[in-house]
């Protein structure tokens, strides 16, 4: 809310200025520009290949744990004490394994995501800077700070295209 208030105040101050009529303003969705780039899309494919098998194992473990839980809920009263105890222990072990493997997968994915961001951010910054210079924009506002914008003022696609050209 504070950013929106600041934006409104700055816009009002600029609008009061005669130079405002000569200003060239654009809007940029920085996150979309990053995620829609060819490099980010390729990373998503590579990450799916890298982390897909682990995710499949995790889903299988979750399915097994749910099956044990359902078995305990529906037939637990009909089981002998030793059968129920074994099923409960199996369920607890699968739940622990699921939590551990889920945490490991999330941490590995987070590290890979940070590495990708570290590689792509300089290219994105360069693409943004070049697009701003080429378009001669005086003010570029993050899309999240704007309620609505006409498509001709949104430079996100231009930034994505420029980023895709950079290798």
């Amino acid at each position: 809310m504070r950013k929106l208030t600041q934006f409104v105040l700055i816009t009002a101050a600029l609008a009061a200025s005669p130079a405002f009529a000569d200003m060239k303003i654009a809007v940029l969705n920085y996150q979309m520009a990053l995620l829609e780039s060819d490099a980010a899309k390729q990373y998503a494919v590579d990450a799916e290949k890298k982390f897909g098998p682990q995710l499949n194992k995790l889903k299988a473990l979750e399915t097994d744990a749910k099956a044990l839980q359902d078995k305990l809920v529906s037939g637990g009263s009909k089981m002998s004490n030793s059968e129920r105890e074994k099923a409960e222990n199996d369920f607890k072990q699968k739940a622990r394994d699921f939590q551990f493997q889920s945490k490991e997968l999330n941490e590995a994915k987070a590290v890979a995501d940070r590495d990708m961001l570290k590689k792509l951010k300089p290219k994105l910054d360069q693409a943004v800077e070049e697009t701003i210079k080429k378009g001669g924009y005086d003010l570029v506002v993050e899309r999240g700070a704007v309620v609505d914008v006409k498509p001709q003022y949104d430079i996100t696609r231009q930034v994505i295209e420029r980023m895709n050209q950079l290798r």
Side-chain angles (χ1 to χ4, degrees):
M1 186 66 177
R2 183 176 173 196
K3 284 186 178 186
L4 182 60
T5 305
Q6 289 174 342
F7 176 72
V8 170
L9 291 175
I10 290 170
T11 304
L14 290 173
S17 153
F20 183 72
D22 297 333
M23 285 188 73
K24 200 167 178 187
I25 300 173
V27 173
L28 171 65
N29 186 333
Y30 199 81
Q31 184 176 9
M32 180 182 164
L34 176 67
L35 296 177
E36 292 292 319
S37 69
D38 290 344
K41 288 178 181 177
Q42 183 60 48
Y43 167 76
V45 169
D46 294 344
E48 177 63 33
K49 288 178 187 173
K50 181 178 179 179
F51 298 111
Q54 289 173 281
L55 187 59
N56 290 337
K57 280 183 180 178
L58 205 56
K59 287 178 182 177
L61 194 57
E62 181 182 30
T63 302
D64 292 347
K66 283 184 179 182
L68 277 171
Q69 185 180 28
D70 291 344
K71 181 180 174 183
L72 281 167
V73 169
S74 65
S77 60
K78 298 174 189 169
M79 293 180 184
S80 69
N81 283 343
S82 63
E83 287 178 324
R84 187 173 46 252
E85 204 171 284
K86 183 184 180 331
E88 286 174 353
N89 287 337
D90 288 347
F91 170 72
K92 288 176 185 176
Q93 184 60 46
K94 291 206 184 286
R96 281 192 296 271
D97 290 348
F98 177 82
Q99 286 179 336
F100 177 75
Q101 290 180 23
S102 177
K103 182 181 176 200
E104 291 285 315
L105 179 61
N106 288 338
E107 288 174 359
K109 182 84 167 75
V111 168
D113 289 351
R114 280 193 300 274
D115 288 346
M116 182 270 304
L117 186 60
K118 195 183 290 184
K119 289 178 192 172
L120 292 183
K121 187 165 179 348
K123 288 181 182 179
L124 178 59
D125 291 341
Q126 180 182 351
V128 168
E129 186 177 321
E130 289 175 8
T131 303
I132 290 171
K133 282 182 183 175
K134 182 180 174 187
Y137 297 104
D138 298 307
L139 177 67
V140 178
V141 181
E142 170 60 42
R143 179 66 177 101
V146 179
V147 176
D148 192 25
V149 65
K150 291 182 179 179
Q152 67 262 28
Y153 297 115
D154 190 334
I155 61 170
T156 305
R157 278 282 147 222
Q158 295 169 32
V159 170
I160 293 169
E161 289 168 10
R162 181 63 193 132
M163 189 173 171
N164 290 341
Q165 292 170 357
L166 298 173
R167 293 289 165 195

